[in-house]
Amino acid sequence: MLAKFNNKNLLSVCFRFSTRTMSIDIGGMRKPYNDKENTFDVKDLVSKNPFDQFKVWFEEATANDKIEEANAMCLATATADGFPSARMVLLKKYGPEGFTFYTNYTSRKAEELDSNPRAALVFYWEPLKRSVRVEGQVSRVPMEESKAYFESRPVSSQIGAWVSDQSKVIPDRTVLTEKEAELTTKHQDKVEPLPFPNHWGGYRVVPRSIEFWQGQSNRIHDRLRFRVAETEEEKSNKESWVIERLAP
Ligand SMILES: Cc1cc2nc3c(=O)[nH]c(=O)nc-3n(C[C@H](O)[C@H](O)[C@H](O)COP(=O)(O)O)c2cc1C
């Protein structure tokens, strides 16, 4: 028994021991952001409409070679009694009607959204030191729109939507690969197109606030928030969005 206890085993025991007993201090991890000359102010906004501003930042992120998926965003939802959860999803459409992503309607996020239709989204475009936060009400995308998007996807992705009973506990990977192989044989050649899965479709986050954040090396970051007009005075103004600067 002792003979089997070589250095590798010892290392792994020590590692498990240390991670269980003490935290690893990474307080020294720190990257520079933007210089003082490169700030983001109200005068830099392209419009008083946050969707125009989002378009400019999103297109700059998409054009940046160091950003592989500018449309990757963190989606936060919560149960009806307020327990939060977050995961990454891909933005598939944006504009004044909202921010759209697609998923399985029986997944954990869908259960949470159906019982508590509010969500928050966060984009972080690290090379640009920019982040966007979106908060709002959520509704399902009309079925015809989800169907049109589903049909535009590659067959392998369409199969993926049928294969996964998303968020459910499964015994092993073969549950997925066997179903995938069966569907691939039947549909890959598109002789028989895949039907649209009724358990799958889009959600749209209709923002009530959108915040644009740009990081500064000295941590005096820039935060400009657009929020829908709330008070009677705000509503009486011609602009439908109130623009505010927030402390970093
Ligand atoms: C970059 C990235 C993009 C993703 N995009 C999607 C997506 O568009 N839709 C989706 O359902 N899951 C997507 N996922 C997987 C989700 O993060 C998550 O694992 C899955 O949706 C199950 O989440 P839930 O159990 O909270 O419902 C993505 C994951 C990553 C890392």
Side-chain angles (χ1 to χ4, degrees):
M1 186 66 192
L2 256 185
K4 282 188 184 166
F5 203 81
N6 58 25
N7 277 351
K8 199 174 156 201
N9 287 341
L10 186 64
L11 254 180
S12 95
V13 168
C14 289
F15 180 71
R16 269 183 278 146
F17 177 73
S18 67
T19 53
R20 270 191 207 157
T21 54
M22 61 173 107
S23 300
I24 296 170
D25 187 349
I26 53 168
M29 279 181 78
R30 194 167 292 111
K31 289 275 177 192
Y33 290 174
N34 285 298
D35 299 334
K36 280 184 189 155
E37 297 74 52
N38 193 14
T39 53
F40 180 61
D41 208 345
V42 176
K43 67 175 171 28
D44 302 312
L45 292 170
V46 295
S47 153
K48 290 184 175 167
N49 182 318
F51 298 103
D52 295 337
Q53 185 61 43
F54 182 83
K55 184 170 185 288
V56 169
W57 274 25
F58 185 74
E59 286 174 356
E60 284 179 21
T62 307
N64 190 306
D65 290 344
K66 293 185 186 144
I67 301 176
E68 288 207 6
E69 279 192 306
N71 60 335
M73 56 187 187
C74 181
L75 161 74
T77 57
T79 57
D81 58 352
F83 198 91
S85 67
R87 77 292 287 154
M88 300 300 292
V89 292
L90 294 178
L91 178 71
K92 289 292 166 178
K93 195 175 178 184
Y94 66 88
E97 81 280 11
F99 291 75
T100 303
F101 63 90
Y102 286 88
T103 194
N104 185 307
Y105 282 153
T106 64
S107 64
R108 176 177 175 186
K109 72 180 90 50
E111 277 173 19
E112 294 184 3
L113 287 172
D114 293 342
S115 62
N116 180 8
R118 301 168 193 140
L121 305 170
V122 183
F123 296 83
Y124 180 44
W125 299 307
E126 190 181 349
L128 297 172
K129 314 302 176 206
R130 283 177 177 169
S131 174
V132 175
R133 293 169 63 170
V134 177
E135 289 165 28
Q137 286 289 128
V138 180
S139 54
R140 285 191 181 194
V141 164
M143 203 265 270
E144 281 314 309
E145 191 177 327
S146 291
K147 190 166 182 279
Y149 172 66
F150 178 81
E151 286 166 2
S152 77
R153 302 180 88 203
V155 179
S156 57
S157 305
Q158 294 184 357
I159 289 173
W162 275 106
V163 163
S164 171
D165 195 0
Q166 198 175 49
S167 314
K168 305 298 175 299
V169 175
I170 50 172
D172 54 36
R173 194 175 165 77
T174 56
V175 175
L176 306 172
T177 49
E178 282 172 7
K179 202 163 168 192
E180 185 200 18
E182 183 195 319
L183 290 172
T184 303
T185 309
K186 206 166 156 192
H187 299 284
Q188 189 65 281
D189 52 10
K190 279 207 167 184
V191 172
E192 196 181 325
L194 265 126
F196 172 67
N198 286 321
H199 63 265
W200 187 95
Y203 283 99
R204 195 162 279 151
V205 182
V206 184
R208 62 174 193 179
S209 83
I210 306 184
E211 180 192 320
F212 296 87
W213 180 100
Q214 190 170 282
Q216 288 285 314
S217 291
N218 62 4
R219 273 43 185 173
I220 312 286
H221 309 302
D222 291 311
R223 299 179 64 188
L224 296 181
R225 180 180 65 188
F226 291 72
R227 64 169 173 81
V228 289
E230 281 165 4
T231 63
E232 285 314 311
E233 194 192 337
E234 286 169 355
K235 284 179 190 163
S236 68
N237 284 338
K238 276 195 200 132
E239 309 296 344
S240 46
W241 294 91
V242 177
I243 303 173
E244 294 162 319
R245 174 172 275 277
L246 303 180

